[in-house]
Amino acid sequence: MILELDCGNSFIKWRVISSDGRERALSGVVDSDSRLFEALAASPALSITHCRLVSVRSDVETEQLIDRLRGSLGVEAVSAQSASQVGAVRNGYDDFQRLGLDRWLAVLGAYHLGQRACLVVDLGTAVTADFVSADGAHLGGFICPGLPLMRDQLSTHTRRIRYDRQVALAALQELEPGRSTAEAVERGCVLMLRGFVEQQLLQARARFADGFEVFLTGGDADLVRDVAPGAQVVPDLVFVGLAIACPLG
């Protein structure tokens, strides 16, 4: 079985799949390395023989995790690296190493699934949008704060904005003008996200006259999916790209 890891700054998204990649045995999201190993230990029947990962952590933190994987599971983890080109997909940054690995893998995954021009929008802590031409050229993209960052900035810099997560979730049941601070903030932030996605669609239509695929991924994708009718919501898009960037022989 193959263990795949998407190591962000705050969370680790993980899954265990069959050796041929066709079946998922187990998956989850944890907030620390220790929680990851606890989750894996809770399923002793898993027979992990390979591991690949993508990490936006520091090199030291990533190496520490790889060492722990080697010691605890006896596997050598393959870590995704920046590249100027993988297959038909060409990195569009002037300095290809500066494109975030999670964005690069999402682009690889989207082009693999779509096989034509693509708009890739990842709605997580930050929101990113990337454009890929029909021949695989990454044309660049945009980055803006996601819902968590917008919410945190408002609560940090505005003393009277305080409410818990349950209140936030309740506020998102509709998008009418808010009648409480929580409703006003949550709905205002969602409308900003939706406006961002609408602008990306306008740009994609202008760039790709022959049509394009739209891929949405990230934890807040469902908040904007109706803005992009026909979009494919692919929660594991980064893992699709990871398998392409790190094939296991």
Side-chain angles (χ1 to χ4, degrees):
M1 289 183 163
I2 302 170
L3 172 63
E4 297 182 320
L5 305 174
D6 179 1
C7 306
N9 292 307
S10 302
F11 297 97
I12 299 174
K13 186 176 181 181
W14 64 274
R15 70 178 189 177
V16 178
I17 60 174
S18 60
S19 296
D20 60 9
R22 296 179 180 176
E23 297 180 15
R24 181 192 307 187
L26 207 60
S27 63
V29 179
V30 292
D31 60 5
S32 68
D33 293 1
S34 297
R35 295 289 188 188
L36 169 65
F37 287 98
E38 288 173 8
L40 294 174
S43 301
L46 295 176
S47 178
I48 297 171
T49 57
H50 296 83
C51 177
R52 55 190 168 211
L53 63 86
V54 55
S55 175
V56 297
R57 298 172 166 189
S58 70
D59 291 342
V60 171
E61 291 173 312
T62 302
E63 283 302 320
Q64 288 174 343
L65 175 57
I66 290 174
D67 286 343
R68 190 167 178 183
L69 288 164
R70 184 185 300 115
S72 297
L73 302 179
V75 296
E76 289 294 332
V78 179
S79 183
Q81 302 297 320
S82 299
S84 59
Q85 183 168 348
V86 172
V89 182
R90 304 181 300 283
N91 193 314
Y93 263 29
D94 295 332
D95 179 355
F96 71 86
Q97 293 180 317
R98 300 295 294 176
L99 177 64
L101 277 172
D102 48 351
R103 287 175 64 195
W104 174 234
L105 295 183
V107 163
L108 290 178
Y111 189 77
H112 171 76
L113 296 174
Q115 292 296 305
R116 65 171 182 159
C118 301
L119 167 63
V120 188
V121 184
D122 188 341
L123 297 111
T125 303
V127 176
T128 62
D130 287 282
F131 300 85
V132 189
S133 70
D135 66 353
H138 173 233
L139 305 178
F142 298 95
I143 305 173
C144 75
L147 191 59
L149 284 178
M150 287 192 278
R151 182 190 296 124
D152 290 348
Q153 284 298 301
L154 282 169
S155 63
T156 298
H157 296 285
T158 308
R159 291 184 179 180
R160 293 183 179 273
I161 294 181
R162 295 289 187 276
Y163 51 87
D164 62 28
R165 183 60 180 154
Q166 290 304 117
V167 172
L169 291 173
L172 292 175
Q173 297 304 306
E174 58 181 85
L175 291 177
E176 290 296 311
R179 298 175 66 85
S180 69
T181 298
E183 291 178 350
V185 169
E186 292 297 317
R187 296 173 187 176
C189 290
V190 169
L191 288 175
M192 291 188 72
L193 288 188
R194 292 164 68 86
F196 178 83
V197 174
E198 288 172 344
Q199 286 299 312
Q200 306 316 304
L201 289 169
L202 289 175
Q203 290 224 14
R205 292 183 188 120
R207 292 176 179 276
F208 306 134
D210 293 331
F212 59 96
E213 295 291 330
V214 180
F215 292 91
L216 302 178
T217 191
D220 288 327
D222 283 340
L223 296 176
V224 303
R225 64 188 307 170
D226 62 311
V227 175
Q232 298 186 48
V233 179
V234 186
D236 289 340
L237 188 58
V238 168
F239 285 141
V240 176
L242 179 61
I244 296 168
C246 299
L248 299 173

